[in-house]
Amino acid sequence: MNSDHLASPGDDHGKHPRKLICRFYSSKFDRRNHSSTNIATDTSPHLPVAPGDIQVSTPNDQATPPHKPETATPANVARLVAEALRSETSTPNSVTEKQIVSHPARAHQFVTNPPLTVSQMHPTNPLHQFNTWFRDPRLSASSAPETCTLATASLPSGRVSARVVYLKELDERGWVVYSNWGSRQGKGAQVFGTQADGDSVLGAMPEPGAEDDGMPQGNKWAALTFNWGTVERQVRVEGLIEPLSREESELYWRTRERGSQIGGWASWQSKVLWSAEPDSLIERRRKSLAQDVCPQAIPGDVDETDIDDGRALLEKRVRELEERFANTEEIPLPPFWGGVRLVPESVEFWQGRRSRLHDRFRYVRVHDSQSDSYKWRVERLSP
């Protein structure tokens, strides 16, 4: 992948510090001397962070009322057990069909926002527009607005997979997420390809631009989707993935709590730890459900019905790594773990409207064939 193709207008890639628009995590050490420069209108770094990093609460956060379990009556127990053991194929009966017809499905009516017009959009830069939407005061910290879905696809099959990740940083080149990329069964194989021996995907994260130097080739095209239901908005980003430098990845790695660092080392991400053949667990599960008043709870006879399902192997791996790093003050960054940046080719901003006549504006990167610069074309899309 040509790194020049991914550089911002006027940016001599690799020679000037990247300009930080916003960071979605806080550090246990001061970053004021870091080379990144805030360029957003609102430069406050105090944004919501991913669950498990740093606890954040705001006065506007609304506590979620506790869930009240159903009263455990014989009728409820029988119904719950029947639902849990229901066949995967279910055909509505005549009564159900009548209920469906007499109560037609009503689409959610989007009424939170006024109409979205082009005058409300940033005229030249979708990354600044994203920053504006992300800082909407209606998005509380408890709603974790940095949560997004990362989609990748395998080649040559074209098979797509998606998983939820946390956005950690937005700079002038794109959206940054961090994860384990070393699993042959996971997204690492899709993005970075498999090694010639097929034994693993990555012994180490590639450095930026190293893909052109004999690195295995995967499918660098990917997409991120943000869904902010409370404000009836979505953002869809499509583009190319590029790895961050090890120094950039270590900057975030140092902010993770120790348990998460151990977990990063311990997990063979997406590797199968245990499996069961079809129908081998039906009788065991039926017995467990029949004796329990609520399928969501731990079965009362768990000691009799539970079996090793692979969790013990993971926990054994964790204990081994805790012993390995017992005398290590700073756990090192795993070679297969790090950050990637999704460099956008298109960014769509979606806002709900009544009758499903939604407003959609898309920024499309327009390249200058005579240089490495580019601009953004703005389009309105049909709902």
Side-chain angles (χ1 to χ4, degrees):
M1 182 168 57
N2 187 351
S3 60
D4 291 336
H5 167 75
L6 301 175
S8 299
D11 177 46
D12 189 2
H13 184 70
K15 295 183 180 180
H16 296 289
R18 56 194 174 85
K19 295 181 179 179
L20 183 70
I21 294 178
C22 49
R23 179 174 285 126
F24 302 89
Y25 61 88
S26 300
S27 173
K28 55 191 177 187
F29 56 87
D30 192 350
R31 283 197 180 80
R32 285 176 295 180
N33 295 325
H34 189 255
S35 60
S36 298
T37 304
N38 288 333
I39 61 176
T41 301
D42 180 359
T43 58
S44 170
H46 302 294
L47 297 177
V49 297
D53 287 333
I54 300 174
Q55 296 297 323
V56 175
S57 61
T58 67
N60 295 327
D61 288 350
Q62 298 296 323
T64 302
H67 173 70
K68 295 182 179 180
E70 293 188 59
T71 304
T73 64
N76 285 341
V77 172
R79 176 178 59 79
L80 292 171
V81 172
E83 290 178 355
L85 300 177
R86 177 186 293 172
S87 167
E88 64 275 10
T89 57
S90 178
T91 304
N93 56 34
S94 58
V95 175
T96 304
E97 290 173 348
K98 289 181 180 178
Q99 292 175 341
I100 292 174
V101 173
S102 62
H103 297 85
R106 293 179 180 268
H108 170 70
Q109 297 302 311
F110 296 86
V111 296
T112 297
N113 300 296
L116 182 64
T117 62
V118 70
S119 63
Q120 302 170 48
M121 309 299 293
H122 194 283
T124 62
N125 194 319
L127 291 91
H128 286 268
Q129 179 65 36
F130 178 90
N131 191 38
T132 299
W133 273 24
F134 186 91
R135 292 180 180 277
D136 189 320
R138 296 174 297 170
L139 290 173
S140 66
S142 61
S143 69
E146 74 279 10
T147 304
C148 52
T149 299
L150 171 66
T152 55
S154 299
L155 292 178
S157 68
R159 184 167 181 170
V160 179
S161 64
R163 75 286 295 159
V164 173
V165 296
Y166 295 112
L167 176 68
K168 289 299 180 180
E169 194 169 299
L170 177 65
D171 63 33
E172 90 286 0
R173 282 176 284 169
W175 284 255
V176 174
V177 299
Y178 294 85
S179 188
N180 180 326
W181 300 89
S183 172
R184 184 156 51 100
Q185 293 84 359
K187 56 189 173 296
Q190 293 178 318
V191 174
F192 295 111
T194 56
Q195 300 284 9
D197 57 12
D199 185 40
S200 64
V201 177
L202 292 174
M205 284 287 292
E207 287 291 320
E211 299 94 324
D212 296 332
D213 301 325
M215 288 295 297
Q217 294 299 306
N219 179 16
K220 302 299 187 294
W221 284 100
L224 279 176
T225 300
F226 296 82
N227 179 31
W228 299 321
T230 56
V231 294
E232 298 176 348
R233 285 174 171 172
Q234 292 183 45
V235 179
R236 299 173 58 237
V237 186
E238 297 179 0
L240 293 166
I241 282 181
E242 65 176 18
L244 268 61
S245 68
R246 187 169 180 83
E247 291 74 20
E248 290 176 291
S249 293
E250 284 181 338
L251 184 65
Y252 168 66
W253 175 258
R254 296 297 166 215
T255 71
R256 289 169 66 92
E257 54 101 10
R258 189 177 181 88
S260 294
Q261 291 178 340
I262 292 288
W265 274 97
S267 175
W268 299 287
Q269 194 168 77
S270 299
K271 179 179 180 180
V272 176
L273 298 176
W274 177 89
S275 65
E277 295 303 317
D279 302 333
S280 62
L281 299 178
I282 290 179
E283 289 302 321
R284 185 181 297 272
R285 182 63 173 152
R286 179 179 285 111
K287 176 184 177 183
S288 178
L289 286 173
Q291 294 186 15
D292 193 33
V293 296
C294 182
Q296 287 74 27
I298 298 176
D301 61 341
V302 64
D303 293 335
E304 301 176 21
T305 61
D306 208 12
I307 59 176
D308 178 19
D309 57 11
R311 180 74 187 188
L313 178 60
L314 176 61
E315 293 176 349
K316 178 176 181 291
R317 170 83 169 161
V318 170
R319 290 193 298 271
E320 292 173 348
L321 286 160
E322 286 175 338
E323 293 177 3
R324 173 181 172 183
F325 295 119
N327 299 319
T328 303
E329 182 178 353
E330 290 192 353
I331 298 174
L333 174 71
F336 49 80
W337 200 99
V340 299
R341 178 184 293 105
L342 184 62
V343 181
E345 288 289 331
S346 69
V347 186
E348 179 192 326
F349 294 86
W350 179 103
Q351 184 166 289
R353 290 289 297 273
R354 186 177 293 276
S355 300
R356 303 292 174 122
L357 296 175
H358 311 306
D359 289 319
R360 299 172 61 189
F361 285 97
R362 179 173 63 188
Y363 293 77
V364 179
R365 187 191 293 254
V366 179
H367 298 272
D368 184 347
S369 59
Q370 304 301 319
S371 68
D372 291 332
S373 65
Y374 62 85
K375 295 181 179 180
W376 292 98
R377 180 175 66 244
V378 182
E379 305 170 332
R380 175 183 276 274
L381 303 180
S382 172

